Amino acid sequence: MPVDAALVAAGVLRSQRSQLALWDALIVESARRAGCTVLLTEDLHAGTDFDGVRVVNPFDAQSTTMPS
């Protein structure tokens, strides 16, 4: 995913709206831009949905159910 001004601006807005660190917000926005529906990470709250991107902790047995 190329980083451009639009992605950085979206990341800044996501950071402010969702109270995320800028780097986490950039990852969320990159996933959203790429059309991902699931984001595997242990760094964000499992189950959170960021405009269609759902956070799943791959190390938590309760949150690893993947959507069909």
Side-chain angles (χ1 to χ4, degrees), residues 3 7 10-11 14-15 20 25-26 30 33-34 36 42 47-49 52-53:
V3 177
L7 178 61
R14 171 69 58 195
S15 175
L20 296 174
L26 286 168
S30 294
R33 182 186 273 193
C36 299
E42 62 180 323
T48 303
D49 186 359
V53 178

Side-chain angles (χ1 to χ4, degrees), residues 41-42 56-61 63-64:
T41 182
E42 62 180 323
V56 172
N57 181 342
F59 303 110
D60 179 3
S63 79
T64 56

Side-chain angles (χ1 to χ4, degrees), residues 6-19 22 25 29:
L7 178 61
V8 173
V12 168
L13 288 175
R14 171 69 58 195
S15 175
Q16 294 169 343
R17 260 194 346 231
S18 301
Q19 307 246 322
L22 177 58
E29 287 302 312

Side-chain angles (χ1 to χ4, degrees), residues 1 3 8 12 15 17 19 31 37 39 43-45 47 54 62 67:
M1 176 65 48
V3 177
V8 173
V12 168
S15 175
R17 260 194 346 231
Q19 307 246 322
T37 58
L39 176 60
D43 296 328
L44 298 172
H45 183 69
R54 185 171 59 90
Q62 292 181 347

